[in-house]
Amino acid sequence: MDFEQIYKLYFRDVFLYLCSLSANKDIAEEITQETFAKVLKSIDTFDGAKDIRAWLFTIAKNTYYTYCKRRKIYADEEISENIADVQIDLAKKFSEEENAFLIHQFLHNMNEPYKEVFSLRVFGELPFEKIGILFGKSSSWARVTFYRAKKQILEYMEAIEHEKN
């Protein structure tokens, strides 16, 4: 696969993943561009042993943390199937602009590894097996972590709705 093809196929995935990490569209766009500049320089080192998306997300994550360090933004660095399985209620909340912002705000402050696992699953649409590989864990670990993250978000949204009523 050549760089141009990778860029066309995966730009949006990397951008959405970085949006979930940074909770800022402008920062995500800047870091996505920086990520692909790094990919261009190191494309010949990709051996195909990992999923290309996992490799891109790893570069994106590291680029984001470097960005945070440069700007003295403190980010948690303790990071050692399909989107359809996300509950319909949560998907509906994402579709509403105000709720989507609240969810992104909560995600921005969520502890790791929940934040990254949720982002990889929902925004990156990675299967649990690939997420487990990224963390050096099992697919079961990825499923449980994703479930717990989803549960935290749903509880947060329920608490906000309860406050409104």
Side-chain angles (χ1 to χ4, degrees):
M1 210 182 287
D2 70 339
F3 175 77
E4 217 174 299
Q5 189 178 13
I6 292 170
Y7 185 85
K8 286 178 184 175
L9 289 172
Y10 299 106
F11 178 87
R12 186 173 187 277
D13 293 343
V14 171
F15 173 73
L16 290 174
Y17 172 63
L18 287 166
C19 277
S20 72
L21 285 179
S22 68
N24 182 308
K25 182 182 172 195
D26 295 328
I27 290 171
E29 194 170 319
E30 178 182 338
I31 298 182
T32 302
Q33 292 299 332
E34 199 173 322
T35 297
F36 279 98
K38 289 180 179 181
V39 168
L40 180 61
K41 290 179 185 174
S42 61
I43 192 74
D44 55 334
T45 65
F46 180 69
D47 62 4
K50 281 174 48 172
D51 177 62
I52 185 86
R53 203 175 344 191
W55 182 67
L56 292 170
F57 287 170
T58 301
I59 294 170
K61 176 186 66 175
N62 292 336
T63 304
Y64 172 68
Y65 285 134
T66 300
Y67 171 88
C68 290
K69 284 180 189 175
R70 278 193 311 240
R71 290 178 176 62
K72 297 189 181 352
I73 299 169
Y74 297 100
D76 186 2
E77 294 185 33
E78 196 177 284
I79 297 175
S80 343
E81 340 234 316
N82 285 332
I83 198 165
D85 71 327
V86 177
Q87 291 181 357
I88 293 172
D89 189 40
L90 185 59
K92 197 186 316 176
K93 290 182 188 315
F94 260 117
S95 67
E96 299 168 13
E97 190 173 324
E98 182 181 330
N99 285 336
F101 177 75
L102 291 172
I103 291 170
H104 280 292
Q105 190 174 27
F106 182 78
L107 270 175
H108 184 66
N109 296 314
M110 185 181 260
N111 291 328
E112 295 296 353
Y114 304 106
K115 175 182 176 177
E116 187 169 5
V117 169
F118 185 84
S119 298
L120 289 168
R121 180 71 178 154
V122 174
F123 302 112
E125 298 179 12
L126 282 182
F128 291 118
E129 182 180 272
K130 303 274 184 188
I131 294 170
I133 291 170
L134 274 176
F135 283 88
K137 308 271 186 181
S138 69
S139 61
S140 297
W141 174 88
R143 271 189 185 80
V144 169
T145 305
F146 174 74
Y147 172 78
R148 289 177 181 165
K150 186 169 63 170
K151 186 176 177 191
Q152 287 178 27
I153 293 168
L154 288 171
E155 288 171 354
Y156 170 75
M157 294 306 293
E158 286 171 7
I160 286 189
E161 285 183 26
H162 182 70
E163 287 176 11
K164 286 180 183 177
N165 296 332

